Amino acid sequence: MARRDDPETIGRRVQELRRQRGLTQRQLAEPAYTPAYVSTLEAGRVRPSDEALRHLADRLGVPFEQLATGQPARLATDLRLGLTEAQRALADGEAEQAADRFTGLLAQAEAHHLVQEQATARLGLGECALETGDLQGAREHFEAAEQTLADASLPARVPARRGRAVAHYLAGELRYAVYLLETTLDELNRTGLHDPDALLRLYTAAIGPYMDLGAQARAAQAAELALALAPQAGDPALIARMHRSVARTLLAEGRIAEADASLAKAAEMYRQLEIRTELANCRWMRGYVYAQNGELARAEEELRAARAMLTSRRATLYTSQVTVELADVLHRRDKSQEAAELLREVLGGLSPERGAVHAAAAHRLLGIIAEDTRDTEAAEEHYVRAMSLLERAGAAGDLADLCRLLGDLLRRTGRVEAALDAYRTGLGHRTAGTTTLGPAPAPPPLHDETP
C-alpha cells in the first residue's frame, strides 16, 4: 500500500473536493461527525483515522486510497498491469522497448510512493541493462531496487541481490559475484528463510562464476541443489533458466545425455512461454553440448541460430559469448578465417570492465589460430592479453590453461626458462582454483521437516 500523506495535504485535498462538489462542511460531516471536526481536518490540525477518511471518501464519491494518498482510482492496479506487460516485453527480447515502459512506470510509482512497484520497475530496468550490455547501469538499478526494499524480507530482496551478482559476473568480477551469492545463501539458509524461488535464483546464478573460477565441485553442488529445489519453485521461467544453467555443470562432469535432457526441458518451457531470448540461450547451450561431444556440424547449426536470435534482440553481451563459442567450433571445422573475423568483431565491443572473461576467451582462440599459421609473435601477444584480463577476473582455471599454452609456445621457440616460469605460474593457478573461495554456503533443507 502507498504511504499516507501528511494531515495538511489530506486537509487541502478534502477541502478542494468538497468545494468541487458544492458541499458545506455540515453536509460532508453528518451524520457521523461535526462541522467543527471537518473544519479542523481541512486546516490540517488533526490526523484523520481510517474510519473518518472512509466516511469522507464515501460522501465525496472517491476511493479511500485517493483521499488518503492522492492516487487516482486503480493507479496501483494499472501500474502492476503495466509492469507485467513490460516484463513480458523484456522476456520476448525487446529490451529497449521494455526499458522505456519501465522508466515511465517508475516515475509514476515514485510520484505516488508505491514502494513495491518502484522496486519492480528498478529490477526490470536492471534486467534491460543486462540485456543491452550496460553493466554499470544494471548495477545502479539493482542497488536502487535493494535500497527501496530495505525494510522487506531477505527473500523479497534476492532478485536485486542476484541481479547485482550477475552484473559483476558479466563484468569479469567473478569473486565478488560469488561473494554476493554465497553470503546471501548463507543468510537465507542459516536463518531458516528457505524460500524455494529465492534459493533457486541464487544457486542457478552461482553456476557460471563457479565454473569460470575453476570451482567445478562447488558448481556441481549448486546444480544438484538447484535441481532438488526445482519441484518446490513456482516460477516456470525460473525453472527453465535453472535447467539451462545446470546443463553446463552436467557437461563438465561428462554427463552429456543428462545435460542434453536438461536443455530439452528448458527449451520446451521457453517455447510455451514464448521467451525468445532465453530460447536463444537454450540453443546456445545445446550447441555447446554438441561441440563438447564432438558433433561439430550440429554445434555450428545451433550456435549460428542462437547468435542470430540474440543479435536480433540486441542482447550484446550474450551475443558476444555465443560468438566466441561459435568461433571455436568454426576453428575446429577448419574455418579459421571466419572464426578470426568473428573474434575481432567481438573484441570491438568488449573491454576489461565489460565482458573480461569472454574477451580473454576471444584472445586465447586468436592466439591458437595465430599459432596454426606459425605467427608466434601474434600468438604470444594474444595469450598475454588474455592472461591480463583473466588475472583481473580471478578466473583461475582459465588462467592455468593459458599458462600451459604460453609455456608450450615459449618452449617451442627456444625460451626454456620463460616456459618453465609460465608452467609454474599455471600450476599455482590450478592449485588455487578451488581453495580460495572459503567455506561453501550452508545447504538448505530439501524436504519439509514439519510433521
Side-chain angles (χ1 to χ4, degrees):
M1 181 181 293
R3 185 180 64 194
R4 180 186 289 197
D5 286 331
D6 59 84
E8 187 175 346
T9 301
I10 292 174
R12 287 198 302 269
R13 187 175 298 128
V14 169
Q15 184 180 67
E16 181 179 348
L17 289 168
R18 177 179 64 78
R19 289 175 175 173
Q20 286 176 359
R21 285 152 179 74
L23 298 175
T24 64
Q25 290 180 338
R26 181 179 298 280
Q27 289 171 323
L28 181 59
E30 291 179 345
Y33 299 93
T34 65
Y37 175 77
V38 171
S39 177
T40 303
L41 186 153
E42 290 184 348
R45 295 195 297 269
V46 64
R47 179 178 294 277
S49 64
D50 283 358
E51 182 181 0
L53 279 182
R54 293 189 190 284
H55 166 81
L56 297 173
D58 182 62
R59 298 287 288 168
L60 292 167
V62 298
F64 168 82
E65 287 290 337
Q66 183 175 346
L67 198 60
T69 69
Q71 294 178 9
R74 289 187 54 198
L75 173 69
T77 302
D78 289 343
L79 267 176
R80 284 190 287 270
L81 178 61
L83 289 166
T84 301
E85 291 172 348
Q87 288 164 335
R88 185 54 180 266
L90 174 59
D92 282 345
E94 299 168 359
E96 293 183 353
Q97 292 183 22
D100 288 341
R101 295 184 187 181
F102 281 126
T103 299
L105 294 164
L106 174 62
Q108 293 182 55
E110 288 177 335
H112 296 284
H113 311 292
L114 293 168
V115 173
Q116 185 57 55
E117 286 71 20
Q118 287 179 51
T120 302
R122 286 284 190 191
L123 286 171
L125 285 167
E127 294 292 343
C128 290
L130 285 182
E131 283 285 316
T132 57
D134 179 10
L135 301 183
Q136 179 61 34
R139 285 197 294 270
E140 291 172 359
H141 285 304
F142 288 130
E143 288 168 2
E146 193 168 359
Q147 291 170 4
T148 301
L149 295 172
D151 296 330
S153 67
L154 180 58
R157 289 182 275 124
V158 159
R161 189 76 60 85
R162 175 238 172 224
R164 287 174 57 202
V166 170
H168 284 289
Y169 166 53
L170 290 174
E173 298 163 6
L174 307 183
R175 293 190 182 280
Y176 189 63
V178 167
Y179 166 78
L180 285 174
L181 295 166
E182 288 192 342
T183 53
T184 309
L185 281 165
D186 261 335
E187 190 175 350
L188 282 169
N189 291 327
R190 294 189 189 284
T191 56
L193 298 171
H194 304 302
D195 181 278
D197 280 0
L199 290 168
L200 188 55
R201 284 181 188 275
L202 295 167
Y203 282 121
T204 301
I207 291 171
Y210 280 153
M211 292 291 289
D212 286 345
L213 283 167
Q216 284 86 357
R218 199 166 289 190
Q221 181 188 38
E224 293 297 335
L225 290 169
L227 284 167
L229 286 162
Q232 305 173 47
D235 183 347
L238 188 60
I239 296 171
R241 190 179 300 119
M242 177 274 298
H243 278 298
R244 178 167 54 81
S245 296
V246 164
R248 187 179 179 189
T249 299
L250 294 173
L251 186 62
E253 296 179 323
R255 296 154 67 179
I256 303 295
E258 291 174 68
D260 199 50
S262 278
L263 291 171
K265 290 176 184 176
E268 180 56 30
M269 288 181 178
Y270 288 136
R271 261 186 221 102
Q272 293 172 2
L273 294 167
E274 296 179 2
I275 301 178
R276 295 184 183 88
T277 299
E278 293 290 0
L279 181 57
N281 289 336
C282 247
R283 296 198 69 170
W284 165 19
M285 287 302 295
R286 187 180 288 278
Y288 185 70
V289 169
Y290 289 143
Q292 295 299 304
N293 206 29
E295 301 175 65
L296 298 183
R298 297 178 73 181
E300 181 180 342
E301 179 183 356
E302 291 290 339
L303 291 170
R304 284 192 187 278
R307 183 172 183 269
M309 294 169 74
L310 290 167
T311 300
S312 70
R313 298 289 173 265
R314 300 182 184 178
T316 311
L317 279 176
Y318 295 121
T319 302
S320 297
Q321 293 176 49
V322 76
T323 300
V324 173
E325 300 284 356
L326 174 59
D328 181 60
V329 170
L330 291 173
H331 170 63
R332 291 164 66 186
R333 298 197 74 198
D334 297 323
K335 301 178 182 180
S336 295
Q337 183 175 349
E338 184 184 356
E341 290 172 357
L342 288 175
L343 292 169
R344 293 188 188 101
E345 179 184 323
V346 164
L347 289 172
L350 297 176
S351 68
E353 294 77 28
R354 186 171 175 272
V357 172
H358 309 292
H363 277 298
R364 174 190 177 278
L365 187 49
L366 282 168
I368 292 172
I369 293 171
E371 279 205 74
D372 290 344
T373 61
R374 302 187 185 281
D375 187 352
T376 55
E377 185 177 341
E380 182 176 348
E381 182 180 348
H382 283 300
Y383 290 152
V384 170
R385 286 187 181 181
M387 289 178 66
S388 175
L389 289 163
L390 290 175
E391 283 170 354
R392 179 184 181 279
D398 290 339
L399 271 167
D401 175 64
L402 264 172
C403 288
R404 177 188 59 79
L405 288 171
L406 180 60
D408 290 347
L409 174 63
L410 293 169
R411 179 174 52 82
R412 283 194 296 271
T413 55
R415 289 172 284 175
V416 178
E417 287 300 322
L420 287 172
D421 286 342
Y423 291 140
R424 292 188 193 101
T425 302
L427 285 172
H429 287 304
R430 181 73 68 190
T431 303
T434 60
T435 58
T436 58
L437 287 175
L446 299 178
H447 303 287
D448 189 354
E449 298 177 355
T450 57

